Amino acid sequence: MRRMNGKTTALILAMALLGCLLVAGVAAAAPEYKWKFGVPWPRPTQNEYHKMFCDLVGKYSNGRIEMKYYPNGQLGTHDEHFHAVQEGSIQVSVFAPHVNLIPGGMLNWMPWTIENWDEAKVAFEAGKGILWKVMEDAYNEVGMHMLYQTSFGAYGLGNNARPLKSPEDLKNLKMRVSASLGLVRALENMGKGTGMTLQTIPWGDVYDALSKGVVDGMWSMWPSLIEERHAEVLKHYSDLNFCWDTNNVVVNKEIWDKLPQDLKDAVNKAALEVESTLYAKQQELEKEYKKKLSEIKSFQMVELTPEQRDVFRQKSNTPAIWDELCKPWLEKKYPGQDMTQKIQDELKKIHEQVSAKK
């Protein structure tokens, strides 16, 4: 056997040491946490920003958290995503907080609470906003923690019979509604005595229902009028702004609570950056969509005055809706604190402050 000299031995040892260091470096670079972020619906505009969130989490955590993005319902339906986040097999997702899943979820989008982007930013500000605080408690109750908000903006009312400028214009219309009970109650009250009827139809079926005359109208949003082609099957759309579309990006609470603080900080930094960027992008797109809609000859945009909106607001009888839907959960969650009144007072204050700046 050939005997190695001192230089050869030293070289071999150095190479072995280098190899060990490289292996150790690879091992150190491997993520400590591997998370899934699943989105249950097609959201072309928002997909880009949810993916951005995943990338930023990896960046700000120095690779310690690896988050893989699964858009467009790849991991199942909305409710399947919800239960998967509860059990932790999906770590992060985005939900519409329906009350059958989240008992306090109705507070996310009660009618006549938020009317524009400026109000939404204040009411849903992370850690500070009145709706953020209450919705965080609602999600905590079902084992989740909120990370950031994603929105499509304000709801208006569209139909194929006539421009809607007053509650009387709802006369004899067949309007599509969903399981969002607060909005259903508000629309019921707006159309009381007009002969208007309501029909529950899944969101994905509204295009066909409108095109075939199954219903005359529905509530919709500026992005949906373009992206989901509602403007093709609606003739009139009034910017009633009677409710705000906000969905909530959440993480499994047990997983979140066990996360080291420096990694929580990294995730929060990514969340705030994405939320701010997405808010700005959605407002920019809203202007673009309105311009496109104004160029569709078969489609009429009806711009309501504050006074006209207030007539709809008064007829909605929101105090009764709050007493029916919100008060039972709020009194149980915050006994003796009169949270129903406190939340309404704070929302009114936000509305007045934002209005005063315009």
Side-chain angles (χ1 to χ4, degrees), residues 6-26:
K7 290 184 178 180
T8 303
T9 302
L11 179 62
I12 292 173
L13 289 173
M15 292 178 66
L17 178 60
L18 178 62
C20 290
L21 290 172
L22 288 173
V23 170
V26 171

Side-chain angles (χ1 to χ4, degrees), residues 44-64:
T45 301
Q46 296 180 357
N47 279 343
E48 175 187 347
Y49 297 92
H50 295 321
K51 178 63 169 61
M52 172 184 167
F53 173 67
C54 296
D55 294 340
L56 287 176
V57 167
K59 176 183 175 181
Y60 294 147
S61 70
N62 294 317
R64 293 169 64 193

Side-chain angles (χ1 to χ4, degrees), residues 315-326:
K315 195 164 184 190
S316 295
N317 192 15
T318 53
I321 300 173
W322 275 78
D323 285 347
E324 177 194 355
L325 301 181
C326 303

Side-chain angles (χ1 to χ4, degrees), residues 116-141:
N116 55 57
W117 293 97
D118 291 332
E119 291 181 18
K121 287 177 184 177
V122 178
F124 282 104
E125 183 180 0
K128 297 180 180 179
I130 185 62
L131 293 184
W132 192 96
K133 291 177 181 178
V134 175
M135 285 305 301
E136 171 68 357
D137 286 342
Y139 272 107
N140 287 174
E141 195 173 69

Side-chain angles (χ1 to χ4, degrees), residues 53 92 132 145-149 249-251 256 267-268 271 275:
F53 173 67
V92 178
W132 192 96
H145 162 70
M146 288 202 303
L147 296 173
Y148 64 95
Q149 314 300 321
V249 177
V250 303
V251 61
W256 176 259
V267 175
N268 284 331
E275 181 179 81

